[in-house]
Amino acid sequence: MSERTDKDGAPIVRMEKLNKHFGTLHVLKDVDLEVTPGEVVVIIGASGSGKSTLIRCINGLEEFQKGKLEVDGKRLEPHGKASKALQQIRTEVGMVFQQFNLFPHLSVRDNVTLAPRKVRGASRAEARETADRLLERVGIANQADKYPGQLSGGQQQRVALARALAMEPRLMLFDEPTSALDPEMIGEVLDAMRELAREGMTMVIVTHEMSFAREVADRVIYIHEGEIVEEGPPEAVFDNPQRERTRSFLSRVLTH
């Protein structure tokens, strides 16, 4: 785990009794969650447990039906009601998905310059400078003039990370960012995320990479069937889980 200690200040995410339904399926059940500035929170759990839905609610990609949700002091409304707050949140929260979602007809550099130009109103020259700096930061500056189709999966995901960072986000969300990658490419993406953690970026990460979770997390949350079953420092959750459901889950994933 990182040695960062800057956890002071109001929570950047405050979620109270959040409920989410897909039709008759109750996906999130009275979820309470707070994330403080500079904190790295890793969410683990089986497929279909509600992990991805939870973080997609944070930036308004999924609507919720009941409860309270504030992001950086701005309140999101239930039922996906459009609001100025939602628009502001989407400019302050970066997200990296399982799939890379890059524009195939644009170069790597041009994919990254879109955010500072459209979201921050930067000039072309300023956006290019930002893109080159961020591509250097994630270790692929030498690929700037290529197109996404010419890159490996790991390289494309790092471009997606640079693009999200170009928004100058207050919070980064990661939805299983390595699940679509070949095993040999996973490490390079996790290395870029480790560097962000060391730099103090506030992050909420959904991942199946348990050793990575143990290393970077300030707090690990285990979610089962839409409920937070257990949370705490990684050493507590992984080495001394208090709930039988957590022990059962970890016994399966840590032995494979």
Side-chain angles (χ1 to χ4, degrees):
M1 188 170 66
S2 69
E3 297 178 354
R4 292 167 295 111
T5 58
D6 52 339
K7 306 297 187 298
D8 298 327
I12 195 166
V13 176
R14 190 194 305 271
M15 187 179 290
E16 297 180 14
K17 303 299 180 186
L18 195 85
N19 284 265
K20 164 68 180 175
H21 298 261
F22 286 116
T24 59
L25 182 62
H26 199 173
V27 182
L28 297 176
K29 306 169 184 176
D30 288 334
V31 173
D32 294 328
L33 173 66
E34 289 190 353
V35 180
T36 56
E39 188 177 24
V40 178
V41 175
V42 175
I43 302 174
I44 62 173
S47 296
S49 60
K51 308 183 304 296
S52 295
T53 300
L54 190 155
I55 65 167
R56 288 171 66 88
C57 284
I58 292 174
N59 65 351
L61 289 176
E62 293 287 355
E63 64 181 64
F64 60 98
Q65 283 73 44
K66 185 179 178 183
K68 296 180 180 179
L69 176 57
E70 289 185 359
V71 181
D72 201 18
K74 303 169 186 69
R75 184 164 176 172
L76 279 168
E77 299 296 331
H79 304 289
K81 295 177 183 176
S83 66
K84 184 178 180 180
L86 175 58
Q87 296 172 358
Q88 291 176 324
I89 287 168
R90 286 182 172 168
T91 68
E92 297 171 0
V93 179
M95 187 160 182
V96 177
F97 300 87
Q98 298 177 31
Q99 303 298 328
F100 321 124
N101 298 329
L102 301 174
F103 292 104
H105 63 290
L106 296 179
S107 70
V108 165
R109 180 184 288 111
D110 288 343
N111 264 278
V112 180
T113 61
L114 287 176
R117 294 193 68 192
K118 292 184 178 295
V119 176
R120 300 298 176 193
S123 68
R124 185 182 297 272
E126 290 170 336
R128 181 185 175 98
E129 180 180 348
T130 296
D132 288 347
R133 172 174 52 83
L134 291 172
L135 290 170
E136 178 72 33
R137 184 176 178 182
V138 299
I140 50 172
N142 60 338
Q143 309 293 330
D145 295 318
K146 292 184 178 180
Y147 289 87
Q150 297 175 289
L151 306 184
S152 70
Q155 290 171 327
Q156 290 186 60
Q157 191 62 296
R158 283 186 284 164
V159 175
L161 175 55
R163 181 181 60 184
L165 291 173
M167 294 172 54
E168 300 178 7
R170 295 258 297 143
L171 168 68
M172 283 289 297
L173 307 176
F174 294 86
D175 185 8
E176 300 188 28
T178 61
S179 65
L181 300 180
D182 293 333
E184 64 271 19
M185 298 176 184
I186 291 173
E188 59 192 58
V189 174
L190 295 183
D191 284 344
M193 294 171 65
R194 287 186 183 97
E195 185 60 29
L196 284 182
R198 285 191 290 268
E199 293 171 1
M201 174 64 75
T202 309
M203 299 194 285
V204 181
I205 304 168
V206 171
T207 185
H208 291 292
E209 301 292 334
M210 296 300 152
S211 60
F212 172 74
R214 180 190 288 269
E215 177 187 351
V216 305
D218 295 302
R219 183 158 43 108
V220 173
I221 291 174
Y222 169 59
I223 188 168
H224 175 75
E225 294 183 353
E227 297 180 279
I228 292 179
V229 172
E230 190 152 354
E231 63 179 300
E235 59 272 16
V237 173
F238 287 116
D239 298 336
N240 189 30
Q242 300 301 300
R243 302 291 295 276
E244 176 56 37
R245 285 178 179 172
T246 315
R247 291 192 289 269
S248 176
F249 170 76
L250 292 173
S251 71
R252 296 194 304 272
V253 299
L254 294 178
T255 55
H256 292 83

